[in-house]
């Protein structure tokens, strides 16, 4: 599955896209279980250096509590902003200074890889079932 955003049609006024993505399309095989669809809101707008894309997502998940080791289900929320820039020369000039920049070579972008990366980086390292969990 690809979710293509036509950047040439997006100006300086922010444009929102609401999408639902089946779990198998994100290609996550980590230690937590995705229980349903990803609900994603994308906000895209042109800037002087490219396009700014804001990803806000929600997905039902099953975690293992790092204190008591019980499984628990919870909606997981994630979000981040990135810049889409056209051209490899720009990336070579920036080097590692700008890690939130995605390089594109067309006037459109498949946002699935961006959503996947933001989701994975946002996952909790030590989830807990509740603030008052006493552990094992």
């Amino acid at each position: 599955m690809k979710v293509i955003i036509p950047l040439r049609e997006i100006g300086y006024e922010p444009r929102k896209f609401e999408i639902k993505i089946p779990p198998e399309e994100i290609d996550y095989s980590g230690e937590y279980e995705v229980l349903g669809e990803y609900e994603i809101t994308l906000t895209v707008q042109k800037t002087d250096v490219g396009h700014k894309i804001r990803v806000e997502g929600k997905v039902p998940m099953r975690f293992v509590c790092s204190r008591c080791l019980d499984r628990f289900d919870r909606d997981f929320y994630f979000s981040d902003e990135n810049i889409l820039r056209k051209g490899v020369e720009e990336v070579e000039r920036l080097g590692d200074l700008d890690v939130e920049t995605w390089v594109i070579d067309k006037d459109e972008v498949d946002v699935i890889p961006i959503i996947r990366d933001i989701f994975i980086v946002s996952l909790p390292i030590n989830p807990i079932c509740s603030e008052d969990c006493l552990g094992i």
Side-chain angles (χ1 to χ4, degrees):
M1 171 181 186
K2 288 187 175 189
V3 177
I4 304 295
I5 302 292
L7 297 175
R8 67 185 153 272
E9 297 174 12
I10 297 174
Y12 290 98
E13 189 68 30
R15 203 156 147 207
K16 284 196 177 205
F17 301 87
E18 304 280 336
I19 54 175
K20 292 190 177 192
I21 303 170
E24 60 273 7
E25 297 299 332
I26 295 295
D27 189 30
Y28 167 71
S29 59
E31 63 183 291
Y32 312 125
E33 184 180 350
V34 175
L35 302 175
E37 285 186 323
Y38 293 80
E39 295 177 21
I40 306 293
T41 300
L42 299 171
T43 306
V44 184
Q45 76 180 96
K46 187 175 180 135
T47 68
D48 292 337
V49 295
H51 285 80
K52 179 172 71 171
I53 181 168
R54 176 154 183 80
V55 176
E56 298 171 286
K58 175 180 95 165
V59 62
M61 296 193 68
R62 177 165 294 141
F63 296 99
V64 176
C65 179
S66 61
R67 291 183 186 167
C68 68
L69 304 179
D70 285 344
R71 293 176 187 260
F72 65 97
D73 297 347
R74 180 175 297 151
D75 283 343
F76 176 65
Y77 295 86
F78 57 98
S79 65
D80 198 11
E81 263 182 22
N82 289 259
I83 297 292
L84 306 172
R85 290 190 176 169
K86 199 169 179 183
V88 174
E89 299 82 20
E90 183 69 11
V91 169
E92 290 172 353
R93 185 181 69 76
L94 290 172
D96 291 336
L97 297 177
D98 196 350
V99 295
E100 293 187 351
T101 297
W102 283 75
V103 179
I104 54 174
D105 58 357
K106 298 179 183 175
D107 288 329
E108 60 184 30
V109 63
D110 178 10
V111 294
I112 294 290
I114 297 170
I115 293 167
R116 180 185 180 276
D117 282 4
I118 292 171
F119 165 70
I120 290 173
V121 170
S122 301
L123 285 169
I125 295 171
N126 296 312
I128 55 173
C129 59
S130 69
E131 290 296 324
D132 57 347
C133 176
L134 299 175
I136 298 178

